[in-house]
Amino acid sequence: MISLPPICDRGAASALYPEIAESLGPAPLAIDAARVERIGQAMLQLLVSAARSEGGIAIHQPSAAFTAALALTRLDHVVMEGIAA
C-alpha cells in the first residue's frame, strides 16, 4: 500500500511517481489517503492516470480534505471508483 503524505503537492507527486508507476499492474493499487490535508493538480493528475491504468487503484480511508478536493474538481467519479474500506 502506498500512503499519500499530508501535503500532496508537485514535489510529493514527483517523489511518489516512480513507486506508483512501478506498482501498477493487473490488480488495483492500494493507496492510503487518510493523512491528506491538501492535494494539488500534479497529484490529482497522477492519481487519475493510475486510476485509468489496467488494474486501477483502490483508495483506502480517504480524508475529508481528499474527498472534498475530488468533489470540487469533479474527479471523484474517476479516482474514487476503486474506493476500499
Side-chain angles (χ1 to χ4, degrees), residues 11-77:
S14 293
L16 284 175
Y17 172 75
E19 183 179 3
I20 289 175
E22 184 177 303
S23 300
L24 293 174
L29 172 60
I31 297 187
D32 180 0
R35 299 184 314 140
V36 175
E37 297 171 7
R38 195 172 67 216
I39 188 166
Q41 179 182 353
M43 186 65 78
L44 290 171
Q45 288 175 323
L46 180 57
L47 292 175
V48 167
S49 179
R52 291 182 172 164
S53 69
E54 178 185 3
I57 59 176
I59 302 296
H60 292 260
Q61 301 178 352
S63 69
F66 183 85
T67 56
L70 289 176
L72 179 66
T73 58
R74 296 186 177 187
L75 293 173
D76 47 347
H77 68 284

